[in-house]
Amino acid sequence: MTGVVDMGRAGRALRGVGKAAAVAGAVGVAGFAYASVIERNWFRLRRYEIPVLAPGSARLRVLHLSDAHLTPGRRMLIDWIRGLDAYQPDLVVNTGDSLAHPDAVTPFVDALGPLLDRPGLFVYGSNDLFSPRLKNPARYLWRSSKTDYNKRTVPDLPWRALGAAMSGSGWLDLNNHKGRLKAGGLDIAVAGVHDSHINMDRYEKVAGTADPAADLRLGVMHSPEPRNLDRFTADGYDLLLAGHTHGGQVCLPFYGTLVTNCGIDRARAWGLSRNGASWLHVSGGMGTSPYAPVRFCCRPEAALLDLVPRS
């Protein structure tokens, strides 16, 4: 009859909607559990061979660490980092954001362990100075976290103690500094900048042509901002190392990185690429903020870069 509601059909439709909502909710819970428990602790070591040295040079093995965002309780991450010494790198490079807690310096030094006995160098990231704060983690999809630091001028993390621990072991502090070191029998000219994400980069302090007599010229930064990448390249640095992006942290299958949280394009958010005449490696990072403890299609990582002669 016209105007009569089929209550049986309506009930079945409502039950179908309810089942669909329940399935969607279960999938969401399972996805979060995977991202926060499994993938967040599913560490991997990426390996690359980069033809950047002069013909006849000895191979140089560089271990690139970044973005540990360490809190004292992350024992799995601490033990994994410490175990990377087994790969016998000639040089260790830490591109920042090592801390996420005021009491994390000692655990981070413990994580580095025997790596501190090897030649090394470092720069800071914003989270080595400023502690993470609770906020909507989805905001990074439409805005850079750089704006969160505009009103934060007094660091509340023990960045000086962190730097002293690494410098005291012989690692070079490259925050707006140049330097020189020997590693793997090679003479390496190095330069770095402090974190552009908190406007502490001062490229003018390291500007100038990299020494052409060095066996390798290495440029280091936390955030891979194109303006600094291009300056390092113009000054003749062969290999540039950065972190900060977390590879996107949450990526989509068949699409990849959603956002980079800085000026670099999505295609170069992690891994090996070119920046003009320079090689560029952006680390996908080893950790997460304690307030956004998830990784999805973007496993935490370090990288072993085998530098070999150009053909």
Side-chain angles (χ1 to χ4, degrees):
M1 293 176 56
T2 303
V4 176
V5 177
D6 185 341
M7 296 304 294
R9 182 181 300 173
R12 289 192 296 272
L14 287 173
R15 285 193 294 274
V17 170
K19 289 180 180 178
V23 169
V27 169
V29 169
F32 180 81
Y34 165 80
S36 62
V37 177
I38 298 176
E39 186 164 322
R40 180 174 176 245
N41 295 299
W42 191 10
F43 311 113
R44 67 177 165 190
L45 181 67
R46 290 187 181 273
R47 304 187 70 157
Y48 299 92
E49 188 173 272
I50 309 175
V52 70
L53 301 177
S57 299
R59 176 184 296 255
L60 182 77
R61 177 164 288 182
V62 178
L63 177 63
H64 183 188
L65 307 175
S66 197
D67 297 271
H69 291 276
L70 196 64
T71 53
R74 294 213 61 195
R75 193 71 241 177
M76 291 177 66
L77 176 56
I78 291 168
D79 291 344
W80 182 74
I81 295 172
R82 191 177 182 90
L84 295 174
D85 184 69
Y87 293 93
Q88 299 184 335
D90 300 302
L91 174 65
V92 185
V93 178
N94 175 17
T95 50
D97 271 7
S98 303
L99 307 180
H101 191 279
D103 298 328
V105 172
T106 296
F108 186 70
V109 172
D110 178 44
L112 293 177
L115 291 170
L116 286 170
D117 295 329
R118 301 183 180 276
L121 49 89
F122 68 93
V123 292
Y124 297 123
S126 58
N127 287 126
D128 293 319
L129 282 74
F130 299 100
S131 61
R133 290 182 173 177
L134 182 62
K135 56 190 174 185
N136 178 2
R139 286 196 303 177
Y140 86 103
L141 293 172
W142 65 82
R143 52 170 282 190
S144 167
S145 65
K146 186 171 184 175
T147 58
D148 297 333
Y149 295 98
N150 288 344
K151 297 181 180 180
R152 301 183 70 180
T153 58
V154 180
D156 60 347
L157 286 181
W159 60 275
R160 288 189 178 89
L162 173 67
M166 292 185 284
S167 296
S169 295
W171 285 19
L172 294 184
D173 178 345
L174 290 186
N175 290 285
N176 301 323
H177 290 127
K178 281 184 170 182
R180 200 80 171 227
L181 57 79
K182 290 275 190 180
L186 299 182
D187 176 31
I188 307 173
V190 294
V193 291
H194 206 311
D195 190 8
S196 59
H197 206 59
I198 48 176
N199 300 314
M200 295 187 72
D201 55 319
R202 302 290 183 269
Y203 192 87
E204 65 275 10
K205 293 187 175 182
V206 301
T209 303
D211 188 351
D215 297 315
L216 174 69
R217 290 152 291 275
L218 188 63
V220 182
M221 68 215 81
H222 177 64
S223 180
E225 285 295 344
R227 69 171 186 273
N228 287 328
L229 295 174
D230 292 345
R231 289 168 181 166
F232 277 116
T233 295
D235 280 342
Y237 288 88
D238 306 299
L239 174 62
L240 315 179
L241 301 180
H244 175 69
T245 66
H246 295 198
Q249 189 163 327
V250 175
C251 300
L252 294 181
F254 311 111
Y255 182 81
T257 300
L258 297 175
V259 294
T260 65
N261 199 25
C262 64
I264 201 170
D265 50 288
R266 291 190 309 105
R268 297 189 296 164
W270 59 264
L272 188 66
S273 62
R274 298 305 295 262
N275 190 75
S278 304
W279 289 95
L280 167 66
H281 180 259
V282 179
S283 171
M286 301 180 291
T288 65
S289 165
Y291 296 118
V294 297
R295 287 250 182 182
F296 191 77
C297 294
C298 188
R299 288 169 58 189
E301 64 177 51
L304 202 61
L305 311 176
D306 280 322
L307 309 188
V308 298
R310 298 181 292 271
S311 58

